[in-house]
């Protein structure tokens, strides 16, 4: 799936469920929540889970959990980009260009 296909799919999926029109500040809250879940998934991969109520998965299970959480973050980013009519492809390109310019070798 390309970034454009993903962004369009998110638009349709969220609209069908009435999730797309939530206030932008609610969406930012969801993005923050999902970012925290990414951090938790990385902790599970790197140092494990140490609380009794947390399930201990093997490396592959924890990697799948991280992949799912990254998808949740990307989904929220796509919704925000859609709200402001910003293509994810443009986000990727502008970000790459910014980094390349910022860290270009000085010759």
């Amino acid at each position: 799936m390309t970034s454009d296909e993903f962004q369009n799919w998110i638009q349709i999926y969220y609209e069908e469920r009435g999730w797309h029109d939530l206030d932008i500040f609610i969406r930012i809250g969801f993005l923050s929540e999902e970012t925290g879940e990414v951090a938790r998934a990385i902790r599970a991969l790197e140092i494990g889970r140490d609380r009794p109520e947390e399930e201990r998965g093997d490396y592959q299970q924890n990697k799948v959990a991280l992949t799912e959480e990254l998808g949740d973050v990307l989904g929220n980013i796509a919704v925000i980009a859609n709200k402001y009519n910003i293509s994810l492809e443009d986000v990727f390109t502008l970000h790459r260009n910014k980094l390349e310019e910022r860290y270009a070798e000085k010759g």
Side-chain angles (χ1 to χ4, degrees):
M1 177 180 290
T2 69
S3 61
D4 287 340
E5 291 169 337
F6 177 73
Q7 190 169 3
N8 289 332
W9 179 83
I10 285 288
Q11 177 84 24
I12 294 165
Y13 190 84
Y14 277 48
E15 283 177 353
E16 288 174 350
R17 283 153 186 76
W19 299 345
H20 190 266
D21 295 328
L22 292 175
D23 183 271
I24 190 63
F25 295 105
I26 292 172
R27 180 63 50 203
I28 292 295
F30 289 155
L31 177 59
S32 296
E33 179 182 344
E34 296 301 343
T35 301
E37 291 179 15
V38 166
R40 188 175 188 184
I42 289 171
R43 183 193 73 184
L45 271 169
E46 294 297 325
I47 62 174
R49 300 202 184 240
D50 58 359
R51 295 171 56 184
E53 72 274 9
E54 292 181 318
E55 236 180 84
R56 293 178 187 262
D58 64 20
Y59 180 84
Q60 189 58 39
Q61 291 168 323
N62 290 336
K63 187 174 176 182
V64 168
L66 174 59
T67 304
E68 289 174 357
E69 297 304 340
L70 289 169
D72 291 343
V73 167
L74 286 174
N76 278 282
I77 289 171
V79 171
I80 293 167
N82 285 340
K83 176 174 178 55
Y84 297 104
N85 199 30
I86 298 169
S87 162
L88 289 178
E89 191 68 32
D90 289 345
V91 171
F92 300 152
T93 300
L94 287 172
H95 185 68
R96 182 190 65 213
N97 291 345
K98 177 180 79 172
L99 292 177
E100 287 176 346
E101 288 174 19
R102 183 177 292 166
Y103 299 104
E105 289 187 43
K106 306 293 181 198

